[in-house]
Amino acid sequence: MKILIVGSGGREHAIAAAVAKSPKADKIYCAPGNAGIGQIAECVPIGAMEFDKLTAFAKENAIDLTIVGMDDPLVGGLVDEMEAAGLRVFGPRKNAAILEGSKAFSKDLMKKYNIPTAAYENFDDPQKALAYLETAKMPVVLKADGLALGKGVLICETLEDAKEGVRTIMEDKKFGAAGNRMVIEEFMTGREVSVLSFVDGKTIKIMSSAQDHKRALDGDQGLNTGGMGTFSPSPFYTDEVDAFCRKYIYQATVDAMAAEGRPFKGVIFFGLMLTEDGPKVLEYNARFGDPEAQVVLPRMRNDMIDVVEACIDGTLDRITLSFEDNAAVCVILASEGYPVSYEKGFAIEGLENFKDKDGYYCFHAGTALKNDKIVTNGGRVLGVTAKGATLQEARANAYAATEWVHFDRQYMRHDIGKAIDEI
Ligand code: AMP
Ligand code: GLY
């Protein structure tokens, strides 16, 4: 089969690596891809939002299956456009990707179908939002409605901060049109877990759990980022938590989307918080997590193409997902200054050290080829990933492997997976 993957980050590298393991994959393309993906796929210089060009490329090259990794093209309707051209595509249509594309939509869905989540109100008028804050309990969480690169969430400790936040989102439009509407919700405390799932419109199959570290600095200090590292499975995702989520969250979400006339096919990412009152949904994403995919997919035993095709065909009930009984840790090597400002174009040394090392992966997030050398090309540069029999072992392996590569102004967190020592 000929497969096209849409995206250019570490997640798409992990997807491409999983697809490449399938005996069914004869040829893999990635648009636009990056230097690491280019080692297992042919990168085509088409942007993820260039829907017409992607569709034309898939037609001309007789692509059998397209996998869309990123949120923007999903929310923008790439799947609809490619399907209309008669192509087979994995990912939710626009009317289902709204689960991620609008926080107000997803909160209303959860309320309507009794799916546990933080109490909230939606606003499209800043004056009403400001008035509501006068009676709200602090801290409070403000969320721009639309996609904002994971940055549209403000946690405000005081009424003054919260008012300032409403103005930032709705009046100054710091997150652009994403802030035309906003959600104000109750602040929850607890441990966060990411659960990814495959969905075929009616059936949902859960992957092994993971946990992300979103803050830039050690000890969960600093700014929110796209994710500085992950581990899988999460030891906090116990059988009891799993049973609760299966009963009240997973199938309920899939059924709710179907009942709304928005059947969801693709990956639903459940961002959960394990509160004292039980697990609650923090957010939904309509795609694999990044860098969650980097620790979950290498542990999956199934043929990725079989699972993806079952989602498209509505036959996921016939698939049993299976994961290795081990653990994986991914440490992001970032450019100093990320997520604010950073330089690009530094040569990356030592990538060859990962060649033929079983259980070790160097997923490229922001890299490019310059004069035949691989150079840094983003805030998050590499996702150094290793497996181990236990989480502790996987963590030791991943940190050892971070020593194999080097680039100038390299930055990483030193405590990825450290929380697991608490139990
Ligand atoms: P989101 O994009 O909705 O996942 O929010 C980003 C991050 O903000 C989450 O991973 C949480 O750490 C935090 N967050 C979001 N909503 C809440 C909430 N209601 N209470 C506490 N923290 C939250
Ligand atoms: N790691 C969080 C995300 O992919 O949104």
Side-chain angles (χ1 to χ4, degrees), residues 86-291:
L87 293 158
R88 257 167 95 69
V89 200
F90 175 70
R93 292 182 186 152
K94 186 174 180 170
N95 73 353
I98 190 174
L99 195 59
E100 171 165 5
S102 166
K103 290 189 191 287
F105 169 87
S106 69
K107 294 296 292 188
D108 285 347
L109 186 87
M110 288 186 267
K111 187 189 264 181
K112 182 169 171 188
Y113 292 92
N114 290 319
I115 298 168
T117 189
Y120 76 101
E121 292 287 336
N122 293 338
F123 296 93
D124 52 18
D125 175 351
Q127 293 315 319
K128 290 200 175 131
L130 290 168
Y132 171 84
L133 284 176
E134 299 287 347
T135 57
K137 196 166 147 250
M138 297 296 140
V140 76
V141 184
L142 312 182
K143 298 185 174 185
D145 178 51
L147 291 181
L149 295 170
K151 299 194 181 83
V153 175
L154 303 177
I155 295 173
C156 303
E157 303 285 341
T158 65
L159 178 60
E160 271 320 299
D161 285 353
K163 285 182 171 171
E164 189 55 40
V166 166
R167 291 187 200 108
T168 306
I169 293 175
M170 297 193 89
E171 292 179 349
D172 305 344
K173 294 274 168 27
K174 178 156 177 223
F175 309 107
N180 289 345
R181 281 210 288 177
M182 67 178 292
V183 176
I184 300 184
E185 73 177 30
E186 164 203 14
F187 176 76
M188 302 190 287
T189 51
R191 212 168 265 292
E192 287 184 42
V193 182
S194 304
V195 176
L196 310 181
S197 66
F198 288 103
V199 184
D200 74 353
K202 7 177 238 297
T203 301
I204 177 164
K205 295 279 163 104
I206 302 302
M207 296 180 232
S208 185
S209 63
Q211 187 175 323
D212 189 6
H213 296 260
K214 287 205 170 87
R215 299 293 201 93
L217 307 175
D218 284 7
D220 286 333
Q221 301 296 309
L223 295 172
N224 255 323
T225 70
M228 290 299 293
T230 37
F231 57 90
S232 170
S234 164
F236 307 104
Y237 189 79
T238 59
D239 289 347
E240 192 188 351
V241 170
D242 183 64
F244 181 96
C245 295
R246 284 175 196 272
K247 192 163 174 197
Y248 297 106
I249 296 177
Y250 302 146
Q251 190 67 50
T253 301
V254 175
D255 292 347
M257 290 298 282
E260 293 293 311
R262 301 169 181 274
F264 192 104
K265 288 187 177 196
V267 170
I268 300 183
F269 166 143
F270 297 86
L272 303 173
M273 188 171 270
L274 310 181
T275 75
E276 275 188 350
D277 304 327
K280 294 188 182 178
V281 178
L282 274 171
E283 63 159 348
Y284 293 115
N285 293 313
R287 44 152 181 99
F288 285 101
D290 188 345

Side-chain angles (χ1 to χ4, degrees), residues 280-341:
K280 294 188 182 178
V281 178
L282 274 171
E283 63 159 348
Y284 293 115
N285 293 313
R287 44 152 181 99
F288 285 101
D290 188 345
E292 282 87 346
Q294 289 89 316
V295 284
V296 171
L297 288 179
R299 300 181 48 240
M300 189 170 85
R301 289 204 184 93
N302 302 70
D303 183 311
M304 176 83 167
I305 295 182
D306 285 349
V307 181
V308 161
E309 292 212 292
C311 290
I312 295 173
D313 295 334
T315 55
L316 191 60
D317 56 334
R318 295 186 211 152
I319 299 266
T320 304
L321 286 187
S322 167
F323 286 81
E324 292 170 2
D325 186 19
N326 56 10
V329 168
C330 170
V331 179
I332 297 291
L333 301 188
S335 307
E336 199 183 295
Y338 172 74
V340 182
S341 66

